[in-house]
Amino acid sequence: MGLFDEEAVKAVTEKRKDWEKNELNNVLERAPERLDNFQTVSGIPIERIYTPEHVKDLDYETDLGFPGSYPYTRGVYPTMYRGRLWTRRQIAGFGTARSTNERYKFLMAHGQSGLSTDFDHPTLTGYDSDHILAEGEVGRLGVAIDTLADMEDLYDGINLEKVSVSLTINHPAIILLSMFLAYAESVGVPWETLRGTVQNDALKEFHGQKTFALPPRPAYKVTMDLVEFCTRHVPGWNTISISGYHTREAGSDAAQEVAFTIAQGMSYVEGGLARGLTIDEFGPRLSFFFGCHNDFFEEASKFRAARRMWARITKERYGATNPQAMLMRFHTQTLGSTLVRQNPKNNIVRGAIQAMAGALGGTQSLHVSGYDEAYDIPSEDAMRMSLSTQLIVATESGVTNTIDPLAGSYFVETMTNEIEERAWAYLHKLEDMGGGNILDGMFAGIESGYIESEISRAAYTYQRRIESNEYTVVGVNDFISEDSQPLELYEHDEKEEQRQLDRLEHVKVTRNADMTNRALDELQKAAKADDNLVPPVLAAVRAYATEGEIMAALQSVYGEHTDPAIF
Amino acid sequence: MTTMQDTARILLAKIGLDGHDRGVKVLANALRDAGMEVIYLGMRIPPEQIAVAALEENVDAIGISLLSGAHMRLIPKVVKALEDQGILGQPLLLVGGTIPDDDIEPLKKIGVDGIFPVGSPLQAIVDFIKENRRSRS
């Protein structure tokens, strides 16, 4: 049943026509509007005004419901931020594990409530620090991890029973999470008590983050191995952080971000079901990760649309009965690609607007990107500013005092519907490509380059809108001011690379080489036999096999992936 | 020996392990729409491969993109590889990405012709190539 009775809507229509004819047209004749076409950052057309006419078919119960109730449009928990604020989780990682460990302690002293680990490119792509391709990137954009010894340094002195940890790693996720589990075991923390997340989203690597190490199908198999293992042995762990953030950073629009992320999620659900798990048991441990752009209402609507879609899909398509399996819990990161070099302190304001949209979209945790990230990884000052931004939005702005305050806005509800509709169009397309199922559609979409070229096209369209001044970026294409704002940038310590190389060398000469080699042989055999690979990877990391050695063992069976270089 | 042709040929590549390829792909589209011929090699391309491809394809410009912060380590290797192929100073060498202001002059000193940090207008890159293109040998 709609929110408005038909007669009332008809009356609004008549009044609107009167208003257009009399007041509006008079004004338009004298003073035309600023633009011929108004649209969102993603290019969705925006009308002059939204009225009950736009939402006349909205059904409160089935389309919105109550917080903590299906379809969760208004939020995943009954009290949302009135109960507990979102987790302030600024990602950090640079240099050696020891340096990052110090940064963690600094952040926790400044109001951070959860940890998130950023790995350097060699770690993300499965190479050891001493690999030729790693040169210059060891510890550069994240922390360098080669062996269990580094993991021991990384979380030294941090109580893993109290602090939740997020590991932002994908194709090598099985290796890094195994190191983490081995470390927890060695300090006497039972796996059952661990709380945290591993990104482990193999599929988004091919169109989003592009730090792939394995071809699509084996990468997916390894991801599902980890899901299966954790469902049985590490029950409090979020086994995949299904990520749209990188897809958006790669240039997608908001609807594509929702569509491809949900398609990834559906692929993992289909994989779990194929392994005999039930969605009610592993669904509750799937979490999500989105970006947040500058278009405030579009972004807030995007989160609401995604949450409603996931609830409907898990319940109606996959038969979830456990409400926990229908919840889209998500982390938000304000988008690095919206940060500009010109007048960099303006980026603080962009971060605040995006953080606010994340809050009004009902995020469970948040990272505000540093204002200086168009230059380098964030300085300590930028990270402090990001945390302050979160705190001010969370407390002073008052947006956390009531739940989903944008609900019922004619515009926001229309935009929420619009994004859902556009995302569904992509899902149907992928479904067709996959002959009826999303998983095969995903593989087809990746292997044919379809997903990448859709994203590329959107990225190019956005950039052209900036260059033609259709979309204003302050200080970039309009309101340009010459005043310079000198920044104290992050100072990369060039000596960290050598320290890491020494550490790796030390581990290699002091470990029991026979044990390491045996473990690697066993791993290779398990990969050939198509076994679950978590137990043999755990054995290898305990024997101080390096990340690169373990990945090489997997690649010897599965092959590698090369960039198709589509644009 | 070929003479100056109308269609500029541009080689684009990313070096190192960095996966941020949005900018280079947007640029590839823009150069193509500006009537240039674009050869995009993709990510994780070794400097030697870039130099060999630049020679074989007889390009007017090479664009290297990296947002990894490793430019001061990796760009000198590209320069060296071009030198080894005997083509340093022939095609224009452009670098784009997260390049702090302080690194711009040192990169120019070793032979980079143009540096376009993130957020540079596409048109500026198109114009730079058109204006500075050298005749091919």
Side-chain angles (χ1 to χ4, degrees):
Chain A
M1 196 186 93
L3 277 179
F4 304 94
D5 76 56
E6 248 176 72
E7 289 306 308
V9 175
K10 267 189 197 153
V12 171
T13 305
E14 269 167 40
K15 290 274 180 203
R16 175 178 54 78
K17 284 181 178 158
D18 282 350
W19 169 77
E20 282 171 353
K21 198 167 129 202
N22 301 316
E23 276 139 272
L24 177 69
N25 285 343
N26 284 340
V27 171
L28 287 179
E29 273 165 30
R30 277 182 284 127
E33 292 176 326
R34 286 184 294 114
L35 302 172
D36 293 336
N37 298 300
F38 286 79
Q39 47 183 297
T40 65
V41 160
S42 296
I44 300 177
I46 303 179
E47 295 180 33
R48 176 173 299 111
I49 186 175
Y50 290 80
T51 72
E53 298 160 284
H54 291 87
V55 292
K56 63 181 174 7
D57 297 324
L58 198 71
D59 182 301
Y60 188 81
E61 207 179 316
T62 58
D63 293 327
L64 302 178
F66 288 91
S69 301
Y70 187 82
Y72 305 100
T73 314
R74 306 205 59 183
V76 289
Y77 300 125
T79 60
M80 290 300 291
Y81 309 134
R82 287 167 64 99
R84 198 175 71 83
L85 296 173
W86 60 82
T87 303
R88 298 170 298 282
R89 195 190 298 280
Q90 296 289 136
I91 195 167
F94 56 87
T96 58
R98 250 171 231 178
S99 307
T100 298
N101 179 271
E102 277 170 34
R103 174 69 74 101
Y104 288 160
K105 289 173 179 163
F106 165 88
L107 286 168
M108 292 177 73
H110 283 83
Q112 169 126 326
S113 47
L115 293 181
S116 182
T117 303
D118 219 351
F119 298 98
D120 66 5
H121 276 114
T123 308
L124 287 173
T125 49
Y127 291 105
D128 283 340
S129 299
D130 58 3
H131 192 282
I132 176 121
L133 277 174
E135 191 187 334
E137 297 190 59
V138 176
R140 192 67 188 75
L141 293 192
V143 61
I145 302 290
D146 292 312
T147 68
L148 177 57
D150 300 324
M151 196 61 89
E152 292 160 1
D153 286 350
L154 188 61
Y155 298 112
D156 180 51
I158 289 161
N159 184 348
L160 298 180
E161 285 178 281
K162 292 267 153 57
V163 180
S164 69
V165 169
S166 174
L167 304 172
T168 305
I169 186 88
N170 294 281
H171 288 189
I174 190 169
I175 307 170
L176 275 291
L177 187 63
S178 292
M179 287 180 186
F180 183 80
L181 293 175
Y183 169 66
E185 195 174 61
S186 73
V187 293
V189 178
W191 290 352
E192 296 74 30
T193 63
L194 290 172
R195 289 179 306 128
T197 303
V198 61
Q199 198 161 74
N200 194 32
D201 181 349
L203 297 173
K204 70 101 165 51
E205 286 298 313
F206 302 100
H207 51 264
Q209 193 170 4
K210 321 271 175 78
T211 52
F212 42 71
L214 295 167
R217 289 165 202 265
Y220 172 79
K221 175 243 180 324
V222 174
T223 275
M224 293 313 301
D225 281 356
L226 210 47
V227 172
E228 189 178 17
F229 183 88
C230 290
T231 303
R232 303 213 159 108
H233 305 286
V234 199
W237 202 263
N238 294 314
T239 53
I240 312 180
S241 171
I242 305 158
S243 304
Y245 175 83
H246 315 84
T247 299
R248 195 71 186 277
E249 284 288 51
S252 85
D253 63 33
Q256 290 172 339
E257 180 188 7
V258 170
F260 296 138
T261 308
I262 285 184
Q264 289 148 220
M266 292 169 77
S267 303
Y268 300 127
V269 169
E270 290 175 11
L273 297 175
R275 288 183 180 221
L277 300 171
T278 70
I279 187 167
D280 286 342
E281 65 182 327
F282 74 90
R285 303 267 44 109
L286 300 175
S287 63
F288 288 80
F289 173 25
F290 291 107
C292 198
H293 213 288
N294 288 322
D295 194 318
F296 185 77
F297 292 110
E298 177 171 64
E299 292 304 308
S301 304
K302 174 188 84 180
F303 297 124
R304 299 174 83 247
R307 197 161 43 231
R308 179 164 71 196
M309 285 177 77
W310 188 245
R312 286 177 171 162
I313 288 167
T314 48
K315 184 177 181 184
E316 290 166 18
R317 186 179 177 115
Y318 299 119
T321 57
N322 176 0
Q324 296 295 316
M326 305 173 199
L327 299 185
M328 174 183 271
R329 294 168 300 123
F330 65 93
H331 174 68
T332 302
Q333 180 165 337
T334 66
L335 285 160
S337 57
T338 64
L339 305 173
V340 303
R341 284 169 83 95
Q342 296 89 337
N343 318 111
K345 287 187 181 163
N346 288 354
N347 293 325
I348 298 171
V349 182
R350 295 186 176 99
I353 292 169
Q354 296 172 19
M356 185 88 98
L360 289 170
T363 195
Q364 275 56 63
S365 61
L366 183 63
H367 168 107
V368 174
S369 293
Y371 62 79
D372 53 0
E373 286 187 53
Y375 289 90
D376 208 329
I377 69 168
S379 62
E380 241 171 48
D381 185 63
M383 280 296 94
R384 211 170 8 226
M385 197 65 234
S386 294
L387 272 173
S388 301
T389 302
Q390 295 210 29
L391 294 169
I392 291 167
V393 171
T395 56
E396 298 179 28
S397 79
V399 297
T400 51
N401 293 335
T402 187
I403 301 166
D404 188 28
L406 294 181
S409 150
Y410 310 127
F411 176 44
V412 171
E413 295 300 355
T414 305
M415 196 52 66
T416 303
N417 290 343
E418 176 78 27
I419 290 171
E420 179 165 353
E421 216 168 280
R422 286 172 182 244
W424 268 114
Y426 275 108
L427 290 177
H428 290 316
K429 166 94 185 170
L430 287 174
E431 208 168 25
D432 287 347
M433 291 172 74
N437 76 73
I438 289 285
L439 175 58
D440 288 328
M442 245 353 240
F443 284 134
I446 291 167
E447 287 160 357
S448 67
Y450 165 73
I451 298 176
E452 242 194 304
S453 37
E454 283 295 296
I455 294 169
S456 233
R457 195 167 49 85
Y460 187 39
T461 304
Y462 174 72
Q463 188 60 31
R464 274 188 309 184
R465 280 180 65 205
I466 293 177
E467 304 217 351
S468 63
N469 279 21
E470 273 174 69
Y471 178 66
T472 299
V473 183
V474 172
V476 173
N477 61 359
D478 206 353
F479 309 106
I480 294 164
S481 93
E482 293 302 322
D483 63 322
S484 65
Q485 297 170 328
L487 295 178
E488 295 242 347
L489 292 176
Y490 161 78
E491 282 276 336
H492 177 62
D493 180 356
E494 295 288 344
K495 295 201 188 93
E496 287 282 84
E497 182 161 337
Q498 192 54 49
R499 283 186 204 116
Q500 184 60 22
L501 292 173
D502 293 346
R503 181 143 178 79
L504 175 58
E505 181 60 24
H506 176 76
V507 171
K508 280 185 178 172
V509 299
T510 52
R511 69 187 178 184
N512 179 332
D514 286 343
M515 248 175 80
T516 313
N517 292 335
R518 258 202 314 277
L520 289 168
D521 287 346
E522 288 301 318
L523 171 61
Q524 215 175 15
K525 271 186 222 152
K528 281 182 190 147
D530 206 27
D531 293 344
N532 188 308
L533 298 179
V534 181
V537 170
L538 265 168
V541 303
R542 286 188 190 116
Y544 290 89
T546 68
E547 186 204 12
E549 290 166 343
I550 295 172
M551 187 52 81
L554 296 176
Q555 287 169 336
S556 72
V557 177
Y558 297 132
E560 295 178 46
H561 180 73
T562 46
D563 177 18
I566 297 162
F567 64 90
Chain B
M1 184 172 156
T2 54
T3 50
M4 181 101 168
Q5 294 159 7
D6 286 329
T7 309
R9 288 162 65 77
I10 318 296
L11 182 77
L12 297 176
K14 280 184 66 66
I15 54 175
L17 295 170
D18 159 37
H20 298 93
D21 63 351
R22 172 185 184 154
V24 71
K25 288 160 83 161
V26 164
L27 177 63
N29 279 287
L31 296 177
R32 190 183 50 194
D33 285 357
M36 301 184 188
E37 193 179 328
V38 176
I39 303 146
Y40 175 45
L41 298 181
M43 303 186 293
R44 305 188 195 174
I45 308 298
E48 298 73 24
Q49 192 184 329
I50 292 170
V52 170
L55 179 68
E56 283 173 358
E57 301 282 354
N58 193 20
V59 297
D60 298 282
I62 303 167
I64 307 291
S65 162
L66 72 176
L67 287 84
S68 63
H71 46 275
M72 297 310 286
R73 293 281 292 278
L74 300 182
I75 296 301
K77 294 185 159 228
V78 176
V79 170
K80 167 84 172 39
L82 293 174
E83 210 166 25
D84 290 348
Q85 293 299 329
I87 54 169
L88 180 64
Q90 290 176 26
L92 291 169
L93 180 58
L94 314 183
V95 173
T98 42
I99 317 291
D101 296 340
D102 290 349
D103 293 342
I104 291 177
E105 277 313 307
L107 287 173
K108 285 193 173 163
K109 270 205 185 104
I110 62 166
V112 177
D113 296 291
I115 292 159
F116 297 92
V118 289
S120 300
L122 298 170
Q123 195 57 46
I125 304 173
V126 171
D127 292 345
F128 184 90
I129 293 172
K130 284 185 179 160
E131 283 160 21
N132 295 284
R133 195 177 152 192
R134 298 180 267 254
S135 53
R136 283 187 231 149
S137 56

